[in-house]
Amino acid sequence: MRHSVMACATASLAVLALASAAHSQESGREGSTVDEIVVTAQKREQSLQDVPIVVTAIPQQLLQDAGVKDIKDLTILAPGLSVTSTSSEVSTTARIRGVGTVGDNIGLESSVGVVVDGVYRPRTGVAFGDLGELQRIEVLKGPQGTLFGKNTSAGVINILTKRPEFQFQANAEATVSNFNGRGGSVSVTGPIVEDQLAGRLFVAARKRDGYVDVNTGAGPRTLDNDQNQDFYTLRGQALYVPTDGFNVNVIADYSKRQETCCAGVQILTGPTGAIVRALSPGGASGVAIPAAPFERMAYANRLNTQNIEDAGISAEANWDLEWLGGATLTSITAYRDWKRLYGSDGDFTNVDIIYSPNDGSNRTQFKQFSQELRLAGASEKLNWLVGAFYANEKLISNNSQVRYGNQFETYASLLFSGGTNPNLVSTLQGRPTGTSYAPGAGQQDRYDQDGQTFALFTNNSYQVTDQLELTGGLRYTHEKKDLNTRYDNTDNGLGCATLATRLGQSATAIAVSPLQCATFQNYLFNDLQTEQSISEEAVTGTIKAAYRINEQVLAYGSYARGYKAGGYNLDRLACPYQANTAMSNACVASITATGRPLAPNPQQSATAQGSLQPIHDTSFAPEFVDSYELGLKNTLLDRTLLLNATIFYQKFTDFQLNAFNGIVFTVTSVPEVVSRGIDTDVVYMPTRGLTLQGGLTYAETQYADKVSSKLGQPCTGGTIAAPLPAGCSRLPGSRLSLAPLYSASGAVTYERAITGDLMGRVNVSAKYTSTTNTGSDLNPLKVQKGFTLVNARVSVGPEDEKWALELWGQNIFDEDYYQVAYDGPAQAGTYNAFLGQPRTYGATVRVSF
């Protein structure tokens, strides 16, 4: 099947090349033509049709018509791109061709790099927010590490906002929508000092109620909706142009979000549901029985808060060096400070089992300084570029705070007594009820990570003949990360410690120990402090050959090697301790980069063989990718049609897979992942006022068939809902989670005069995503069938754009779909999901001066 698909794709490119050559000879036609699309995929301005890279370029007007305000909105316009969020908007993940970072482990960096005005954002979630006044967005597919650096192994989202202008202009926008939505923005730009200094200021604020209802049980939560919106953002720029050969643009921005997000809903309620219901107020709720996810009713007795502040400043300077043949020296200096205070209902029920406190102790902060220098020039045949990059990142996380709720001990007792004995735990512990796992006590960990990156790079294109251009690029990267960790339990892991002394005395005690001594309760983490350091070097690069068949058709082939840095699991990791056993060593090898065996812990009693021992080495290896592409770029029918197609093959080694087991997130390095397929993009203007833009991505993105200790043996048993046999995995030979086979997007825009000076514009944008599994363990219960999202906007206003009235809708057919499905925490057999946004609609008024 794979070989036939690739053969078909290759044949299609050959047919397309022949057809392109024929079409290029056709005579002209009346009507509008596609304007030249300028991109900066190679860190210099080029026509899209001259760049030997797969780029989906989306201009400002189409972004506005499709309602794009953040990177999640962007997916409807970019085939092969998906963006999902899980337990908070910070846990936002971008994927290209089915490859991306999965899950909520803040120690795991992105596979898809996000760059805003030349500044790299260290995590996709850190880049999530209102993007302001956009000029265009470029989605670059495949590894882009030569010019954009580490953590771009799957691609890059390159965001360019509008710069200050020397002509005065002011714009204002006000929007109302369902879910009690309201918001607006104001921007102004113009000269400060004539011909030398210009400024731009953008201010926006938006607010709406949540689109998930919440049954809060006995509280303390009272807010009855979730996944709301409440933020404001400010962005100021100053452009200084003292001479024709020098300019510097300074950007400062600040955003603040105070929202509740994100509650999950049950998609299957397992046997624990009856116990949860028995403990809920009145015994009538607690959890959905039966599960009805698209009624959008969540259960949470505690708030899912996310208070986020994001601030930064950057300066980009460009200096034309006449003494160096007109070469340009570019400097981009940036500093960013991002922090989040967080709280959540950890069990996704309205029974008080586990939670993360929203008292300010649950905190994550990024501070990043970066400096990039580039020197670029051109001669008659050579375009050359050399550069250096440095970044210093400080990460502080107190995010791993799991506390016992008021009903934890009772829930554990009922769970392991078959619902018959609410005091089983206290009986086994030999302690008064409610004292072994005291409400409010629990895990309290802190991670301090310092990272430094240094890189040297070059990218050069040589015009061998009028038709043939060769490009070669190389990048050397040195990466160093130091991690200081302090694990602790506020109650010294009292319940687990007491149980450990009783193991061997009671068979029942041994049976219940998995819940009572899970990692977040394990007394072996009491005041445990570790220090780790990793240092990496990587050489990556690219080779490209572009051949212009004629003025209308460009053929190209490329090879690129990409790199994603290694790092640390910022969560508790543990394996069962059995001295010198293959089981214990295999567990460690599947988690850590070094695979060093567990050593006996002096705190561990001899009677507790098999208990979970802390793993001090929480590192995971760097990820590499080798990518091969063959493509055609066609400018046809007198420049009314741009038609581009590329076949690709990508092989990832030590792919970083992040998985959630209901308690902790763990990053495992998978030996091999392969992605192969075809990308197409089209822009067509058949007549004046009508534009069609879209594309299709077909991607087989799969784990290798080979079996390894990282993946486990291929599955030979198990049921859809039941756990798999020990050592069994669904991964070998399967498609990755959230990796659809087909992804297609399309946008139709029609603009024409209505009467006199009054213009009308209609836009319909759509995205189809084929069936995909949304869970990293590929449990069939987590499958999302193929679906289509459709957005639409109708706009009326004068030709001079002094004002406009817009009526719009997003997901206008109210398509129900899962973003990500996951195991219910501490509830075996229960599965939850984070849902996609339902239909939203509203009206927008715009005015310009």
Side-chain angles (χ1 to χ4, degrees):
M1 173 64 180
R2 298 175 188 169
H3 298 298
S4 63
V5 168
M6 296 304 291
C8 181
T10 304
S12 298
L13 283 182
V15 172
L16 184 58
L18 293 173
S20 299
H23 276 302
S24 67
Q25 306 301 320
E26 290 187 2
S27 59
R29 62 174 65 185
E30 294 184 0
S32 186
T33 60
V34 178
D35 292 336
E36 183 177 51
I37 300 173
V38 176
V39 297
T40 54
Q42 297 193 113
K43 296 291 179 95
R44 67 178 191 268
E45 292 190 347
Q46 293 176 276
S47 169
L48 173 67
Q49 298 304 91
D50 292 334
V51 179
I53 298 173
V54 180
V55 183
T56 298
I58 308 167
Q60 181 272 332
Q61 186 61 61
L62 182 56
L63 292 166
Q64 178 178 302
D65 289 341
V68 175
K69 289 186 172 63
D70 56 48
I71 60 174
K72 187 181 289 185
D73 296 333
L74 179 64
T75 59
I76 201 163
L77 296 175
L81 171 69
S82 66
V83 180
T84 56
S85 296
T86 53
S87 60
S88 74
E89 298 290 12
V90 176
S91 304
T92 297
T93 299
R95 298 170 181 82
I96 291 177
R97 296 171 175 170
V99 177
T101 299
V102 180
D104 294 18
N105 193 324
I106 201 69
L108 185 59
E109 299 178 70
S110 306
S111 297
V112 177
V114 179
V115 177
V116 182
D117 290 325
V119 178
Y120 168 73
R121 301 296 177 93
R123 303 292 189 277
T124 304
V126 174
F128 182 83
D130 194 296
L131 297 174
E133 296 180 286
L134 294 169
Q135 179 179 338
R136 69 177 182 274
I137 295 179
E138 304 166 3
V139 180
L140 285 59
K141 299 179 182 178
Q144 306 295 328
T146 303
L147 288 171
F148 288 92
K150 63 168 186 169
N151 306 330
T152 59
S153 54
V156 168
I157 300 174
N158 189 26
I159 299 165
L160 296 98
T161 65
K162 289 184 176 180
R163 279 194 156 198
E165 299 176 14
F166 283 93
Q167 182 175 350
F168 176 81
Q169 185 176 15
N171 301 282
E173 164 259 320
T175 295
V176 294
S177 68
N178 60 333
F179 295 105
N180 196 28
R182 60 272 194 204
S185 65
V186 175
S187 69
V188 60
T189 186
I192 299 174
V193 176
E194 186 176 359
D195 296 331
Q196 285 196 339
L197 182 64
R200 180 180 288 272
L201 178 65
F202 172 80
V203 180
R206 307 196 187 278
K207 190 171 185 177
R208 64 160 169 76
D209 294 339
Y211 52 77
V212 173
D213 296 324
V214 179
N215 183 320
T216 62
R221 175 179 180 142
T222 59
L223 184 65
D224 63 358
N225 66 84
D226 203 276
Q227 298 186 8
N228 63 6
Q229 185 181 73
D230 187 0
F231 76 90
Y232 67 87
T233 184
L234 303 91
R235 183 181 180 87
Q237 299 186 61
L239 174 62
Y240 179 51
V241 188
T243 68
D244 290 340
F246 179 80
N247 67 80
V248 59
N249 191 49
V250 178
I251 305 174
D253 66 271
Y254 175 82
S255 297
K256 186 175 181 64
R257 307 175 73 96
Q258 292 180 294
E259 301 169 342
T260 58
C261 189
C262 301
V265 299
Q266 282 78 46
I267 61 176
L268 176 69
T269 304
T272 58
I275 298 174
V276 172
R277 173 165 284 192
L279 291 176
S280 65
S285 57
V287 70
I289 303 178
F294 296 115
E295 290 185 5
R296 297 184 180 272
M297 173 60 75
Y299 294 82
N301 67 296
R302 293 186 181 268
L303 278 171
N304 301 307
T305 57
Q306 55 172 18
N307 295 332
I308 300 170
E309 289 186 72
D310 183 17
I313 186 168
S314 67
E316 177 179 338
N318 294 281
W319 185 16
D320 293 337
L321 306 176
E322 294 300 330
W323 55 270
L324 198 58
T328 300
L329 177 65
T330 299
S331 168
I332 302 177
T333 308
Y335 176 79
R336 300 209 62 81
D337 186 353
W338 178 96
K339 51 182 170 286
R340 174 187 71 160
L341 300 179
Y342 176 66
S344 71
D345 189 305
D347 52 73
F348 298 92
T349 75
N350 69 15
V351 175
D352 202 22
I353 303 173
I354 56 175
Y355 69 97
S356 294
N358 60 358
D359 58 4
S361 62
N362 225 15
R363 178 173 176 264
T364 300
Q365 183 171 16
F366 280 101
K367 293 182 179 181
Q368 177 181 275
F369 169 81
S370 63
Q371 173 65 57
E372 180 171 337
L373 290 173
R374 299 195 307 267
L375 182 63
S379 63
E380 183 179 353
K381 289 183 174 291
L382 179 67
N383 279 283
W384 56 271
L385 180 150
V386 294
F389 177 81
Y390 172 79
N392 185 304
E393 176 188 295
K394 294 186 180 296
L395 165 61
I396 300 172
S397 178
N398 294 348
N399 198 40
S400 296
Q401 309 244 4
V402 181
R403 304 296 173 84
Y404 312 128
N406 293 304
Q407 295 169 288
F408 175 86
E409 192 169 305
T410 305
Y411 173 75
S413 295
L414 290 173
L415 181 63
F416 291 104
S417 68
T420 61
N421 184 357
N423 300 308
L424 175 64
V425 169
S426 61
T427 301
L428 293 172
Q429 297 275 357
R431 299 181 58 83
T433 300
T435 61
S436 294
Y437 301 94
Q443 174 182 0
Q444 182 168 286
D445 301 341
R446 178 185 171 99
Y447 304 90
D448 290 87
Q449 177 178 295
D450 290 340
Q452 295 189 55
T453 302
F454 174 73
L456 297 171
F457 58 93
T458 183
N459 195 74
N460 310 287
S461 298
Y462 183 72
Q463 198 75 38
V464 180
T465 69
D466 290 342
Q467 293 176 291
L468 177 64
E469 182 181 70
L470 299 180
T471 298
L474 201 64
R475 189 181 189 101
Y476 166 80
T477 302
H478 180 268
E479 176 90 1
K480 189 175 188 298
K481 287 190 176 82
D482 298 315
L483 175 65
N484 294 321
T485 303
R486 183 178 186 274
Y487 305 100
D488 205 2
N489 301 294
T490 61
D491 62 350
N492 293 318
L494 177 63
C496 177
T498 303
L499 186 67
T501 65
R502 299 173 64 87
L503 286 171
Q505 302 175 23
S506 166
T508 309
I510 295 174
V512 303
S513 63
L515 180 63
Q516 295 192 61
C517 280
T519 51
F520 74 91
Q521 303 136 311
N522 195 332
Y523 75 99
L524 296 177
F525 285 95
N526 288 348
D527 196 24
L528 175 61
Q529 300 183 47
T530 66
E531 295 183 1
Q532 302 179 67
S533 182
I534 55 176
S535 181
E536 300 171 356
E537 292 183 331
V539 177
T540 56
T542 185
I543 299 173
K544 302 181 179 74
Y547 185 78
R548 185 156 291 284
I549 298 173
N550 53 43
E551 290 185 2
Q552 292 77 31
V553 183
L554 176 76
Y556 68 91
S558 68
Y559 163 78
R561 181 166 175 82
Y563 157 70
K564 181 181 175 186
Y568 302 103
N569 282 280
L570 300 189
D571 209 338
R572 293 186 178 186
L573 300 182
C575 279
Y577 176 66
Q578 298 284 357
N580 300 318
T581 66
M583 172 183 166
S584 177
N585 294 339
C587 173
V588 178
S590 70
I591 294 176
T592 70
T594 61
R596 289 192 288 266
L598 284 170
N601 190 312
Q603 298 184 61
Q604 182 67 58
S605 66
T607 59
Q609 292 286 312
S611 65
L612 292 174
Q613 289 277 350
I615 295 177
H616 293 198
D617 173 15
T618 65
S619 64
F620 51 84
E623 173 183 301
F624 291 90
V625 57
D626 294 290
S627 174
Y628 305 85
E629 296 184 354
L630 289 173
L632 288 172
K633 295 199 169 187
N634 306 274
T635 306
L636 307 173
L637 305 179
D638 284 342
R639 204 174 175 82
T640 62
L641 174 64
L642 307 184
L643 179 60
N644 302 333
T646 301
I647 57 173
F648 61 87
Y649 176 90
Q650 301 176 140
K651 181 179 177 181
F652 294 81
T653 53
D654 286 329
F655 177 78
Q656 296 168 2
L657 172 68
N658 192 25
F660 179 61
N661 67 1
I663 299 293
V664 297
F665 290 92
T666 304
V667 180
T668 299
S669 295
V670 177
E672 185 177 310
V673 166
V674 171
S675 179
R676 53 168 70 81
I678 184 167
D679 274 310
T680 63
D681 285 283
V682 61
V683 180
Y684 184 39
M685 296 187 68
T687 186
R688 188 176 302 277
L690 178 63
T691 303
L692 295 83
Q693 180 166 344
L696 169 70
T697 295
Y698 173 88
E700 293 179 350
T701 304
Q702 298 177 317
Y703 297 106
D705 293 328
K706 67 176 68 172
V707 178
S708 77
S709 61
K710 302 284 186 178
L711 295 181
Q713 299 290 326
C715 286
T716 57
T719 64
I720 286 180
L724 295 171
C728 172
S729 171
R730 297 183 177 94
L731 272 58
S734 299
R735 280 212 322 274
L736 273 65
S737 61
L738 294 158
L741 202 58
Y742 296 97
S743 171
S745 67
V748 179
T749 304
Y750 184 60
E751 185 175 25
R752 63 164 294 167
I754 301 174
T755 58
D757 185 47
L758 194 64
M759 302 291 293
R761 186 172 65 251
V762 178
N763 172 270
V764 178
S765 303
K767 175 72 170 286
Y768 169 73
T769 303
S770 66
T771 299
T772 183
N773 196 307
T774 68
S776 57
D777 62 354
L778 302 184
N779 188 319
L781 283 169
K782 301 174 183 178
V783 167
Q784 169 60 54
K785 294 187 180 298
F787 64 98
T788 301
L789 299 178
V790 181
N791 296 353
R793 186 174 298 254
V794 177
S795 176
V796 176
E799 190 171 7
D800 62 8
E801 299 183 345
K802 291 298 184 183
W803 61 268
L805 173 63
E806 301 173 356
L807 301 177
W808 56 267
Q810 294 184 294
N811 189 8
I812 60 175
F813 296 112
D814 204 19
E815 189 77 41
D816 291 328
Y817 64 100
Y818 305 147
Q819 291 192 82
V820 174
Y822 58 98
D823 294 5
Q827 299 165 75
T830 290
Y831 299 91
N832 302 338
F834 299 108
L835 302 182
Q837 184 169 295
R839 175 171 51 222
T840 56
Y841 53 87
T844 298
V845 176
R846 302 180 192 275
V847 293
S848 298
F849 306 96

